């Protein structure tokens, strides 16, 4: 099974093809604004919920002591916030249907 990634320019192209009344630069700007708003929201520690698709939230990781795999030496790993995506039921169902058939 081979998988291909859908990148931002592919997404813009697909949206433009399905909406010929919208100019591609307009679609590109809309996608950019949407992504920027999502980044801004997550950066402010807000949750994003898109019904039928899923939700994005930050998972906060505490600082810890890790190991350098090459040397085995202890390394301090700083605390960090990691974006996390949880798919919605409609998305899970659609993916499972296409995987089953």
């Amino acid at each position: 099974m081979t998988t291909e990634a859908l990148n931002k320019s592919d997404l813009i192209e697909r949206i433009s093809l399905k909406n010929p009344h919208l100019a591609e630069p307009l679609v590109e700007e809309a996608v950019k604004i949407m992504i920027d708003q999502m980044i801004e929201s997550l950066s402010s520690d807000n949750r994003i919920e898109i019904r039928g698709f899923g939700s994005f939230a930050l998972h906060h990781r505490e600082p810890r002591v890790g190991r350098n795999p090459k040397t085995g030496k202890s390394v301090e790993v700083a605390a960090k916030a990691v974006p996390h995506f949880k798919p919605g039921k409609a998305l899970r169902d659609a993916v499972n249907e296409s995987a089953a058939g």
Side-chain angles (χ1 to χ4, degrees):
M1 177 170 87
T2 326
T3 59
E4 292 184 31
L6 176 68
N7 61 35
K8 187 166 75 170
S9 56
D10 293 337
L11 178 63
I12 291 165
E13 184 179 340
R14 287 183 185 188
I15 293 171
S16 294
L17 288 172
K18 288 189 176 194
N19 297 279
H21 60 285
L22 297 174
E24 191 166 318
L26 185 63
V27 173
E28 184 175 359
E29 182 65 16
V31 169
K32 181 186 178 309
I33 289 169
M34 186 179 83
I35 291 171
D36 288 347
Q37 289 298 308
M38 293 175 78
I39 290 169
E40 185 179 316
S41 186
L42 286 172
S43 295
S44 300
D45 205 13
N46 292 320
R47 187 170 183 266
I48 300 167
E49 185 175 322
I50 303 170
R51 299 258 179 212
F53 181 70
S55 61
F56 297 85
L58 292 180
H59 282 193
H60 297 279
R61 296 197 179 154
E62 298 295 319
R64 62 183 176 85
V65 176
R67 296 230 176 258
N68 180 329
K70 200 170 193 178
T71 64
K73 185 177 177 183
S74 293
V75 178
E76 293 292 325
V77 179
K80 59 182 147 185
V82 181
H84 176 77
F85 174 70
K86 181 179 177 185
K89 184 179 183 321
L91 177 60
R92 282 193 317 268
D93 292 347
V95 168
N96 285 328
E97 282 179 23
S98 68

